[in-house]
Amino acid sequence: LFRQDNCDAHYLTRRNSATIVACDVARVSANVFASSMGTAVVRQGFDVLLTDIGDGYVAEAATEKGENVLAKARTTEADDAAIKSREAVWAKNRKVLNRHELKCDPSYLPRLLTRAYSHPIWEERARTCFSCGSCNLVCPTCYCFNVQDDVSWDLKAGERGREWDGCLLDGFTEVAGGHEFRKHRSNRFRHRLYRKAKYVPEKIGGQIACVGCGRCVAACLPDIANPVSVYNRLLDDLGIG
């Protein structure tokens, strides 16, 4: 996303300098639904992948960076038993990381939301929404930010910084003249779900922008942010079409 259109040089400089060490899920969050989203196991996007197999770890290097890291570690070649133990971890995670089960394949969600824009669930859920933005700020796939200029007293110098922003916050879409594109809470609530399961997939070629971590479910005080409960309600009302 940060490479598209106007490339974000600041982010990409940091990203290209980073070494990503991933770890297969070991401690399950209370509201995880990664199995439903197809994200319980990851096979790309890392330099090194660690898998806890009980009496040790299997470490896999996927890039030259990863190979350089493992070359500095005290490792031995994984035997067949270790590889089978890792496969058992993957098989278990694909099955059990699913406290909230989605009733369809995630690839269908963009089509589902195409039919659901005027569904009453957006108004229903928004009635108790605080517009606090907690669901945005804990989400690992939210990436919106705001830019703030702090000018010094002599008006000759200053600093420009940026901070995370969220589409559930009132004023997120406000522009010059006081016009706000999504002034109503229902519109903002709907946009978050559409962003995750329709707009971003259409932008990047199919990948749903939700990893099923369940953080939004845990962070939401009125308990309305669970995307699976929204999608399942839409499926119940609209069916597969």
Side-chain angles (χ1 to χ4, degrees), residues 19 33 39 43 53 68 79 94 120 138 148 160 199 227:
T19 300
F33 53 95
T39 56
R43 299 301 301 131
I53 59 171
N68 292 336
D79 56 22
R94 287 189 179 101
V138 299
Q148 179 70 42
R160 170 168 289 179
Y199 302 150

Side-chain angles (χ1 to χ4, degrees), residues 96-109:
V96 305
L97 300 184
N98 215 27
R99 303 292 171 82
H100 306 281
E101 186 172 357
L102 182 65
K103 296 180 180 179
C104 71
D105 190 278
S107 62
Y108 178 69
L109 293 176

